[in-house]
Amino acid sequence: MIGTRIEGLVDAMTLEEQVSLLSGRDFWSLPAIERLGIGSLRVTDGPNGARGGGSLIGGVRSAAFPVGIALGATWDPDLVSEIGAALADEAKAKGAHVLLAPTVNLHRTQTNGRNFECYSEDPVLSAELAVGYIEGLQGQGIAATVKHFVGNESEIQRTTISSEIHERTLRELYLVPFEAAVKRAGAWAVMTSYNRLGGTYTSEHPWLLTEVLRGDWGFDGVVMSDWFGSHSTAPTMLAGLDLEMPGPARDRGHRLVAAVEAGEVAAKVVRERALNVLRLMARTGALDDHRPREERAEDRPEHRALIRRAGAEGMVLLASDGTLPLREPASVAVIGPNAKVAQIMGGGSAQLNAHYRVSPWDGLAAALGKERLTHAHGCDNAKFQPVLPGPLRMEIFANRALSGEPVAVEEMPEAQGFWFGTLNGGASASDFSARITGRFTAPRSGTWTVGLRAAGLARVRIDGREVAEAWESWTRGTTFFEEGNDEVLGEAVLEADRTYEIEILFATRPSESLGFSALAVGLGLPSGDAEIDEAVEAARRAEVAVVCVGRDASWDTEGADLPGIALPGRQAELIEAVAAANPRTVVVLQTGGPVEMPWLPRVAAVLQAWYPGQEAGNAIADVLLGRAEPGGRLPQTFPARMEDGATFSQDREVYPGLDGRVRYEEGVFIGYRHHDRVGTPPLFPFGHGLSYTTFAMADLAVAEDGGEVRVAVTATNTGARAGSEVVQIYVTPAPAPVPRPARELKGFAKVRLSPGESRRVEIALPARAFARFDAERREWVMEAGTYGIEVGRSAADLPLSGEWMARTARRWAP
């Protein structure tokens, strides 16, 4: 029925109308074709919420769900499917038909700024969670957009760098989640990455988009570019890119019409691309949706409960001497830079304006009462200075010279903005200037630090004196998706309770790759020894110290990789000092990936909480107090040192890249595969996570059944309270002519058991679980021979082992 209707519609269109569907009308939507009764397709950013059509800053409020790595740590596709269904509700509330999610790139390095947004270092775990997410989302009529296809495992020079990846590595690792999303979950859309693959932009890569995606996998949905990630007319059309985003058209529109008329692009190719877009519109109901976009802030109780439950399910108890769970402590010192600040999400296009934010302090205060708690900040951990609070007055000029009368005047809640499209008063976000003024009353005396970041030109004055400048000296850095300068720092001596006049001048400049302008001005008073001393004293007086440390969205963010995996600032020093004062010190980590832990032997427990969404503090309190189990298992290996990672190399082309190339020299040996290969034990292995109860696994059975290998094991809760365990199955290879990992995750199941309860867990492994990819022959190969089956609770804790014999070799096409 859909096919007949859209075939009729596409053939009733003029060439210009077909072309109009192949690029955005604006940042978030496609044009309607009123003559044929065709509505407008609308999209919104994900994956940990649905922001809507507003800016990355502010806008209509939305529910903030746990980030990708936190969902990866749940090892629970059913839970992730629930979240997908809830996100469909969120997308509908924002008037959207398409959610730009999930992100399924792998954790190649420990320092990728966007690891927080991705599920795992392992392709099988990522694939299973992606399938759950997509089925939940698309089951409610909202399209998933699987991203970023492919080779976007770093944020360094991501819009231009070429990822050099061998086809075997692609097929066995990086393509696996995308393949499952298409073949098993039936994803309706795929987004290309910014980077090049083997020298060719993925948005114009025929092998990737046509041969693999549509040919090998049978994809029939829409392939869209990442925002501003399309760079040509004919090459993208011929390669298989359906949709250039955002709009208005840059390389499509009249240029595409001219390319057809010149014979560079056949009319049938335009028809095929338009047909794909119409199919997506039919699947999502956009074909007949003529309503104006309405965005609602729906704070649903059921979503609150789901976010809180999912947050606890993803938290990983890394280490504990029995201090956790806390049993009605009389006094708790809540310490650290993340104690009273709710770190709920990473940075970049995944960020949104949450309905609310619950900090660890808030969660513990609600659970125990404030009278049992004391607080100490301890030290700072932010990458940038705290954003200057408003209200501020912004005068907008429709030129870059701050000349004439302002075309609009508006209030800013704080000194940061992110602008695209058309501003109030009709000024273009790519060609305007602004004068921003306000007042600041210093709460304390001291030498304050002024921080200035801009995707544009800017300067800051306090009482008429210039204190920071990025105008004449502006140089491109890593902020604002590599469109802004690195933060410029200045100083201002301020007196307590005195009010100062603030003036910020801003003007746009030509963008490097992405079409927007942005500004952030911060003002902070750095902490020092006195704050650490205060934390030590608070810990000494308390029964237990909970130290809330980690990173924030300025570190874990799209657009920039991390400089390393040490805790920023003086946080390690803070932990050491607090632990020396109180042996019952519990460290709550909030990061988007691993950190070095030289202080580990001196603390009582470590809980990795990730960025668990708007209910962060409540979920953290639930786990600390034993009201919920720490249900998570590591989706990424935690090395003891950054130098132990797979991509740490003296060859900069391996990482972070050199001369426009990043070479995936390690091949299939990332994460736990790398540690097994080189024999370096990790700090915490892939799959690791402790529980508040104990489990046993026994009675392993391996049997062949109809072309599958069935692995069965009995899991038993041997402890005194209910809990969950993840049964993990790894396959060791038969002899092969190429190096293969010592073991690879090929199946898993999360089981919840009452005290004393046992359950038989059975997992079927297809032939693909035993195969490698032969790039020369372009086919999958399963050698004849004996394969090992290892079962346990992490890549380094596999107490059960068996084997399966493949009596004959097999080969098959991708």
Side-chain angles (χ1 to χ4, degrees), residues 317-519:
L317 184 58
L318 293 174
S320 179
D321 65 357
T323 297
L324 292 182
L326 302 176
R327 294 172 177 85
E328 295 300 321
S331 59
V332 180
V334 188
I335 294 167
N338 288 356
K340 280 195 171 183
V341 178
Q343 305 295 357
I344 68 172
M345 67 185 98
S349 60
Q351 67 191 26
L352 48 79
N353 190 17
H355 291 302
Y356 55 88
R357 296 168 176 248
V358 181
S359 71
W361 169 272
D362 296 331
L364 287 168
L368 297 175
K370 288 184 180 180
E371 64 277 4
R372 297 196 201 183
L373 308 182
T374 56
H375 170 257
H377 177 71
C379 66
D380 304 323
N381 70 347
K383 186 176 183 179
F384 305 121
Q385 295 304 309
V387 173
L388 174 71
L392 300 161
R393 184 175 186 264
M394 178 179 178
E395 298 174 289
I396 301 172
F397 301 86
N399 55 70
R400 297 180 179 178
L402 294 151
S403 63
E405 292 296 317
V407 296
V409 178
E410 58 186 50
E411 184 176 290
M412 297 177 69
E414 57 186 3
Q416 65 174 338
F418 190 97
W419 303 286
F420 52 80
T422 303
L423 280 62
N424 289 338
S428 169
S430 61
D431 186 17
F432 81 99
S433 55
R435 179 180 291 108
I436 301 166
T437 54
R439 293 183 172 186
F440 176 74
T441 302
R444 290 183 293 166
S445 296
T447 301
W448 289 66
T449 301
V450 180
L452 171 60
R453 296 169 279 141
L457 309 177
R459 60 177 87 246
V460 181
R461 296 168 179 155
I462 296 180
D463 277 358
R465 184 178 72 86
E466 185 166 286
V467 291
E469 176 269 320
W471 199 291
E472 293 83 3
S473 65
W474 188 95
T475 303
R476 187 183 184 190
T478 61
T479 66
F480 296 119
F481 311 109
E482 296 185 314
E483 291 286 335
N485 65 302
D486 290 331
E487 186 177 38
V488 173
L489 299 178
E491 290 185 346
V493 178
L494 306 182
E495 298 176 9
D497 301 323
R498 180 179 166 186
T499 298
Y500 297 85
E501 300 291 332
I502 307 292
E503 182 183 43
I504 304 164
L505 303 180
F506 177 83
T508 59
R509 63 178 304 278
S511 66
E512 301 292 333
S513 300
L514 312 177
F516 65 84
S517 300
L519 170 74

Side-chain angles (χ1 to χ4, degrees), residues 446-773:
T447 301
W448 289 66
T449 301
V450 180
L452 171 60
R453 296 169 279 141
L457 309 177
R459 60 177 87 246
V460 181
R461 296 168 179 155
I462 296 180
D463 277 358
R465 184 178 72 86
E466 185 166 286
V467 291
E469 176 269 320
W471 199 291
E472 293 83 3
S473 65
W474 188 95
T475 303
R476 187 183 184 190
T478 61
T479 66
F480 296 119
F481 311 109
E482 296 185 314
E483 291 286 335
N485 65 302
D486 290 331
E487 186 177 38
V488 173
L489 299 178
E491 290 185 346
V493 178
L494 306 182
E495 298 176 9
D497 301 323
R498 180 179 166 186
T499 298
Y500 297 85
E501 300 291 332
I502 307 292
E503 182 183 43
I504 304 164
L505 303 180
F506 177 83
T508 59
R509 63 178 304 278
S511 66
E512 301 292 333
S513 300
L514 312 177
F516 65 84
S517 300
L519 170 74
V521 175
L523 187 59
L525 187 61
S527 61
D529 292 345
E531 283 76 12
I532 291 182
D533 292 343
E534 180 185 357
V536 167
E537 185 58 31
R540 186 176 288 116
R541 293 195 306 265
E543 180 181 327
V544 63
V546 175
V547 185
C548 302
V549 293
R551 301 193 290 256
D552 65 6
S554 65
W555 293 104
D556 288 302
T557 182
E558 178 181 356
D561 279 8
L562 295 159
I565 59 171
L567 283 171
R570 300 177 67 181
Q571 292 181 99
E573 181 183 348
L574 173 67
I575 295 168
E576 295 274 12
V578 169
N582 189 330
R584 300 191 72 206
T585 292
V586 175
V587 176
V588 176
L589 281 174
Q590 287 199 262
T591 64
V595 296
E596 295 172 354
M597 303 182 196
W599 37 264
L600 180 62
R602 289 172 288 284
V603 300
V606 182
L607 179 68
Q608 173 57 262
W610 317 108
Y611 302 123
Q614 64 192 30
E615 287 281 335
N618 287 332
I620 288 169
D622 288 344
V623 173
L624 290 177
L625 300 174
R627 300 176 185 182
E629 281 281 301
R633 304 294 183 265
L634 285 183
Q636 183 182 18
T637 304
F638 276 34
R641 309 174 307 152
M642 182 175 171
E643 291 83 351
D644 295 339
T647 58
F648 187 83
S649 173
Q650 298 303 313
D651 184 348
R652 290 184 58 82
E653 192 173 277
V654 172
Y655 182 81
L658 182 68
D659 296 332
R661 289 162 41 96
V662 58
R663 191 176 79 252
Y664 287 45
E665 181 71 18
E666 71 286 351
V668 298
F669 295 95
I670 64 171
Y672 65 89
R673 296 165 170 82
H674 164 75
H675 285 270
D676 284 343
R677 185 188 197 190
V678 302
T680 303
L683 182 64
F684 294 108
F686 174 80
H688 169 76
L690 304 178
S691 175
Y692 289 158
T693 185
T694 55
F695 295 91
M697 297 183 198
D699 304 326
L700 172 65
V702 181
E704 189 171 351
D705 181 15
E708 294 182 329
V709 176
R710 295 192 172 273
V711 180
V713 65
T714 299
T716 302
N717 183 341
T718 58
R721 59 180 284 164
S724 62
E725 181 63 293
V726 178
V727 178
Q728 302 171 36
I729 300 175
Y730 295 79
V731 171
T732 68
V738 296
R740 297 193 65 182
R743 59 187 50 80
E744 296 178 278
L745 180 75
K746 293 299 179 181
F748 63 91
K750 190 166 191 175
V751 290
R752 293 171 176 80
L753 301 171
S754 301
E757 182 183 3
S758 294
R759 187 175 306 162
R760 193 70 174 162
V761 177
E762 186 174 287
I763 297 172
L765 303 181
R768 176 79 170 266
F770 303 89
R772 63 178 176 85
F773 191 79

